[in-house]
Amino acid sequence: MASSKSYKEFEKLMKEIVILNGIGGKIMWDQETYMPKAGMETASEQMALIDSQVHKIITSRKMGRLIEELEREYKNLDEYQRANLREMKWRRERDIKVPPKLIKEMSKASVKGYEVWKKAKKRSDFSYFEPQLKKIIDLDIKYAKYIDPDRNSYEVLIEDYEPFIGIREIKKIFADLGRGIVPLLKKIEESDVDFKKDFLKRKYSKEKQFEFCKYIVREMGYDFGRGRLDETVHPFTMGISPFDVRITIEFDEHDPTKSIFSAIHEGGHGIYGQGLPKDHMFELVGLSRSLGVHESQSRLYENNIGRSKEFWEHFFPKLKKTFPKQLRRYDVEDFHKIVNEVKRTPIRIYADELTYNLHILVRFEIENEVINKKIEVREIPELWSEKMEEYLGIKPKNDREGALQDVHWSNGMGYFPTYTIGSVLAAQIFEKLRDVMHIEDKIRNGEFQGVKRWLNENIHQKGSLYETGELIKRATGKKLSAKDFLKYVKRKYGEIYGI
Amino acid sequence: MASSKSYKEFEKLMKEIVILNGIGGKIMWDQETYMPKAGMETASEQMALIDSQVHKIITSRKMGRLIEELEREYKNLDEYQRANLREMKWRRERDIKVPPKLIKEMSKASVKGYEVWKKAKKRSDFSYFEPQLKKIIDLDIKYAKYIDPDRNSYEVLIEDYEPFIGIREIKKIFADLGRGIVPLLKKIEESDVDFKKDFLKRKYSKEKQFEFCKYIVREMGYDFGRGRLDETVHPFTMGISPFDVRITIEFDEHDPTKSIFSAIHEGGHGIYGQGLPKDHMFELVGLSRSLGVHESQSRLYENNIGRSKEFWEHFFPKLKKTFPKQLRRYDVEDFHKIVNEVKRTPIRIYADELTYNLHILVRFEIENEVINKKIEVREIPELWSEKMEEYLGIKPKNDREGALQDVHWSNGMGYFPTYTIGSVLAAQIFEKLRDVMHIEDKIRNGEFQGVKRWLNENIHQKGSLYETGELIKRATGKKLSAKDFLKYVKRKYGEIYGI
């Protein structure tokens, strides 16, 4: 389709935004991997300039005029062009409503918040973090009110990470998850299945773990010609363009499952990033849909695929060959059980696949109440304890393993739900894959191309063409719900725990 | 000094330029070190955007207006502000005179030039490169004419790398070097000093070389808190800010001197970058003076200091400890001689400290004649042979070891002289250091702080405060000339070769 003059101008600005995004990604990747310590200040100045340039383009008068012009010629636009227009409008409306001064205040509060949080966590003293957290949350609320004074502010905050899914839908999912997981967890606890775990006492060289992780993600379909794998304290994936998507993993010399599962998880993110539509790489429609959708890809690979029996039927022999001494006494059954052990822990990042969402549920409910001023910030630790007791039957011993455990709130609220959206969507996609192909057989045979191809076609290649709900509907035939997740965990843990 | 409103606006734009510069540096460092292969296209788009943004700011009407306003209030500016104004004017005048279309053409011709050059070199066939080189040179000339139709175009081209030194001065330096080096070279060839070299047949592990190189540059004063050391095919230094300056080195498993001297060389660049004035890090005055001055710092450390007897009196015991078997039969005398062996070679990058400048002299004279249309591009190989014969008494066997050996011309002409300016200036600074401190004793004792401090104060901290000639005059008390270099090589090689 021939593009109008307005569209061409629009396209040019959009390309600048996307390239600046990619540059920002590179700066952040560098910061987490190889940047010299003292380079932080320079990097912050660089990021601030990139952000302000993106903001300037999006909020420019020219962009406003172009959007108006394109709306008038809407009927002449193809679906990709329309999606670009929708995404740009969405960003512009938010960016233009919020005063830059507030953004700066938020960013400052977050930098300070991070420092204060670190100290508070070290002291295990929530009251030390409280005043700064209150400030951060007040700014969050102010921000949300600028965007839409008439809507639930928490919904508005979530949208920064997960647009186009309403809070009512998310609430329903969490409620269903709570109702489904809590009784299942009780049953699991009553079972007397045994787990061998002395393999954790042995030593696993970093070099060999590294090699094995590279092997496993390559087998999954992650392309090293367009990516790389490095070590960081906190694993992450940085998509700079479909031709440059880098993953990082963590290591524990006494527990190889840390590096392995962080590799499989980030590998899933990486395959998404590498699968985005190349023909639209400099357009908003070419970017990944949302954090929730991103997380669905990593969790699909990490949990639904990567913690399946079939996966280890394929990979365990190779793992045993890599660490023959350390794993001498283990077979596939043992290993499969170990990587699926369910246990109550106060700490989210140590949680298993099943209880993980209860940890998120606790955070979701607290965020919702705080943002909507149902409780005061100082009441968080108490509410945290109550909810942990209610859902997980466990109470944090102190603030450090309670409300201070996560870094997220130092940057504001609204992020956590994306984790659970990811889990739930992953299960939904996994059920679909069971329908359309013999996914278990494929996994057992190490044939991962079919899965990747399906995901490429139905999720990755779509980029941001559809709003999240539409994307999910088209890919899985259903709307987002907790149903498939509950079905999946009942089946899975039923087998493992014999219940 | 209080800044006027105009100066503050000017400062803001200048800061953006410098930050964008740093971002570009990061992208280029990434490209040469860790970028996935397929990331090239994305990186090119990123660099193009950065360049065009810098160009946009420099050539903007706003910048023009600010420069005019600042010229009117010149007497109120302090010397740093005046230097910033001078540097900005210099850049703007060049950028504004050349049509962006020509810049794009040049950049395209250079990308293609690189590909054609690679093939031509493989085939060892200059005629295959000739049409593209002609195109590149024609564009170079066109470019120079836009900037100043009345001046020697070659001078204008050199200025892109080495502003503020006229071609007459450079010509004089080369002529003096030719006259001084050629007879010295003859005498050296007549000497019958022997060089042990079987150490090159042994193997030196990369890990140990790496360790030793890190040790040596740390001792020199390179700060790893603000830098890092990586491996690349072509060693380079990337200064992103005084707080983030990264060096890279090359390795040869059979010749540890490659990594060692690339480390010392880049370490010199790195120490310059880390020594730039932090208080002016976001100003043009805070940037390094020129390529020639940069090269003087690397060559001072690599040659004048790093190839001195005293340097190895200090470091050889440690090197021998690192490679005890391989260096069993060697002592300091042997090693010092080896790293200073003079030999005629057709290849510039294999040349020693003495003949290196004859290689540059050949290129300088050819560039001058081609740009000024005294000869045709197709005559280059013949002229190359003649001049190599004249200055080095050696003729290339073919184009590959003749006019096709260097990548530089695929990007245009004018760069080569900076190497020699670096050598000459390094010798000048070294003589000054001999005057102001017992530099040889310091080196022998491994006391490098004094040297670094002197360079910091007299060169690095000055950034771009002065034009090159003024900087050299203030630092060494003399104007740039070949005299100290000739004095230095006569003394040095006189001792080694007993002449």
Side-chain angles (χ1 to χ4, degrees), chain A residues 90-124:
Chain A
W90 193 87
R91 285 182 184 222
R92 180 175 159 90
E93 271 165 21
R94 288 177 91 87
D95 277 16
I96 219 158
K97 281 176 181 165
V98 183
K101 215 185 126 207
L102 178 60
I103 300 289
K104 261 185 209 150
E105 262 182 273
M106 288 172 80
S107 148
K108 262 191 207 159
S110 151
V111 171
K112 190 178 167 198
Y114 177 69
E115 293 308 320
V116 177
W117 166 76
K118 264 200 301 194
K119 274 190 202 145
K121 185 172 178 180
K122 209 169 173 187
R123 301 176 184 189
S124 193

Side-chain angles (χ1 to χ4, degrees), chain B residues 311-329:
Chain B
F311 191 84
W312 290 106
E313 280 170 12
H314 179 69
F315 282 113
F316 191 73
K318 172 87 181 182
L319 182 64
K320 204 161 170 172
K321 226 185 213 164
T322 311
F323 299 111
K325 265 196 192 160
Q326 295 92 325
L327 295 174
R328 199 173 13 137
R329 292 182 47 241

Side-chain angles (χ1 to χ4, degrees), chain B residues 123-171:
Chain B
R123 301 176 184 189
S124 192
D125 179 3
F126 186 83
S127 71
Y128 184 81
F129 185 39
E130 195 219 309
Q132 187 60 25
L133 180 58
K134 190 167 175 338
K135 200 169 184 178
I136 291 165
I137 290 169
D138 286 345
L139 292 169
D140 263 2
I141 296 170
K142 224 170 156 182
Y143 169 85
K145 289 291 174 209
Y146 270 114
I147 291 169
D148 193 339
D150 302 325
R151 261 200 301 154
N152 180 339
S153 292
Y154 187 43
E155 182 174 77
V156 178
L157 290 176
I158 292 173
E159 283 175 355
D160 264 349
Y161 310 102
E162 191 58 63
F164 312 122
I165 297 190
I167 194 162
R168 222 179 295 170
E169 205 173 330
I170 298 174
K171 262 189 194 159

Side-chain angles (χ1 to χ4, degrees), chain A residues 26 30 42 53 241 246, chain B residues 30 42 46 53 228 241 246:
Chain A
K26 222 170 236 184
D30 182 73
T42 311
Q53 290 198 334
S241 86
R246 310 172 187 192
Chain B
D30 181 72
T42 311
Q46 293 177 340
Q53 290 199 334
R228 43 181 299 121
S241 85
R246 308 172 188 192

Side-chain angles (χ1 to χ4, degrees), chain B residues 178-316:
Chain B
R179 268 195 299 275
I181 297 172
V182 173
L184 180 58
L185 182 57
K186 289 227 172 78
K187 275 193 211 155
I188 288 173
E189 297 250 300
E190 286 157 12
S191 122
D192 51 5
V193 173
D194 251 6
F195 292 85
K196 276 196 219 168
K197 276 202 294 195
D198 59 339
F199 85 107
L200 292 177
K201 286 175 204 143
R202 319 207 186 291
K203 223 188 144 185
Y204 300 79
S205 88
K206 212 165 162 175
E207 289 68 36
K208 284 195 175 166
Q209 287 192 48
F210 208 76
E211 235 174 78
F212 186 76
C213 288
K214 279 194 163 176
Y215 162 72
I216 220 168
V217 294
R218 190 179 283 118
E219 288 291 298
M220 279 162 54
Y222 177 75
D223 176 2
F224 278 93
R226 296 184 282 143
R228 43 181 299 121
L229 193 156
D230 297 90
E231 180 192 1
T232 51
V233 181
H234 305 289
F236 69 96
T237 297
M238 186 55 75
I240 293 159
S241 85
F243 294 97
D244 189 347
V245 183
R246 308 172 188 192
I247 62 180
T248 76
I249 61 176
E250 61 178 338
F251 285 95
D252 181 334
E253 291 228 302
H254 294 282
D255 183 358
T257 65
K258 285 225 174 118
S259 64
I260 291 171
F261 284 98
S262 67
I264 304 174
H265 182 96
E266 302 305 329
H269 281 304
I271 288 169
Y272 185 9
Q274 293 182 339
L276 289 167
K278 297 190 184 76
D279 294 345
H280 301 279
M281 67 183 277
F282 296 122
E283 303 168 38
L284 295 184
V285 78
L287 303 182
S288 61
R289 177 57 281 177
S290 69
L291 286 187
V293 175
H294 233 305
E295 197 69 14
S296 77
Q297 301 305 290
S298 54
R299 285 176 186 243
L300 173 72
Y301 276 105
E302 180 194 342
N303 296 331
N304 309 77
I305 294 173
R307 294 185 197 270
S308 71
K309 184 83 159 288
E310 296 79 15
F311 191 84
W312 290 106
E313 280 170 12
H314 179 69
F315 282 113
F316 191 73

